[in-house]
Amino acid sequence: MTEKASRRGAVELGTVLMIAAFAVFAGFIFWLNGQSAAERALDLVEDTTSTMVDEYATAIPVGAADIMLDATPYAGQLIRLEPQAVASMVGQQGFLLDLPAGPFLVSFSDELLAAGVPVAVGNVVRVTGTITAMTPEIAAEWQAAGRLSEGERLVAEFAVHFIAAVEVDVSTPAPATGGGG
């Protein structure tokens, strides 16, 4: 009988350890649930950020050779032009890009005009916008708004198409070249 008396405490300790194991397991599940909630919240923030970063992801990538002679195939489409040098400013309304076949007009949207994009002659810019056919009415509207002088209006009217820019990324100044185009 003495042997059975020594085992009485071991049985009671097993019950306590079993309850402690369930408590530890429940605590682990609670902690794991909190970690997954934090991970889901982080995923939501990352999704929102990636959407805001590339707002114009649907823009068609276009090279200078694609639009410099005839931009008609891209009329009405949102494009993203490869980086080009700024040849000159056209009043407050926009600027001319220095393409190999000649200058190409870029017009600021009202939002870009309000933001005051710092574009200067010699900058290299990547432009995202819609190819639009130029009409005398558009140039007259720009002049009436005080964004162009009479001479600048004639320069703008000379363009057959222009890019109605919604985004202009300004990078470093253009490298010096031996001959201009």
Side-chain angles (χ1 to χ4, degrees):
M1 274 207 179
T2 56
E3 287 182 27
K4 289 185 180 181
S6 68
R7 302 263 316 145
R8 246 185 291 181
V11 173
E12 292 175 14
L13 186 58
T15 305
V16 172
L17 287 176
M18 182 180 68
I19 293 171
F22 282 126
V24 168
F25 182 72
F28 176 71
I29 295 296
F30 179 76
W31 174 82
L32 198 57
N33 185 33
Q35 293 298 316
S36 67
E39 187 69 28
R40 282 190 301 261
L42 183 61
D43 285 344
L44 180 62
V45 169
E46 287 174 357
D47 288 346
T48 304
T49 303
S50 65
T51 301
M52 292 183 338
V53 167
D54 201 1
E55 185 178 346
Y56 304 108
T58 60
I60 301 167
V62 174
D66 297 330
I67 65 166
M68 67 183 176
L69 296 176
D70 185 17
T72 306
Y74 296 101
Q77 296 182 2
L78 184 66
I79 65 156
R80 178 170 285 149
L81 185 63
E82 66 186 15
Q84 299 294 321
V86 175
S88 67
M89 301 304 293
V90 181
Q92 298 171 3
Q93 186 60 43
F95 54 92
L96 294 172
L97 293 174
D98 187 18
L99 301 185
F104 196 90
L105 180 63
V106 176
S107 170
F108 293 125
S109 66
D110 291 337
E111 292 80 19
L112 289 176
L113 282 169
V117 179
V119 176
V121 174
N123 285 141
V124 174
V125 295
R126 186 179 71 176
V127 179
T128 302
T130 305
I131 296 287
T132 307
M134 174 54 85
T135 64
E137 293 79 20
I138 293 173
E141 181 182 316
W142 293 345
Q143 184 182 11
R147 299 175 186 164
L148 297 177
S149 67
E150 182 63 33
E152 293 163 338
R153 175 183 170 182
L154 295 175
V155 170
E157 285 181 351
F158 184 72
V160 177
H161 290 91
F162 67 95
I163 299 174
V166 292
E167 181 180 62
V168 177
D169 295 324
V170 181
S171 61
T172 60
T177 58

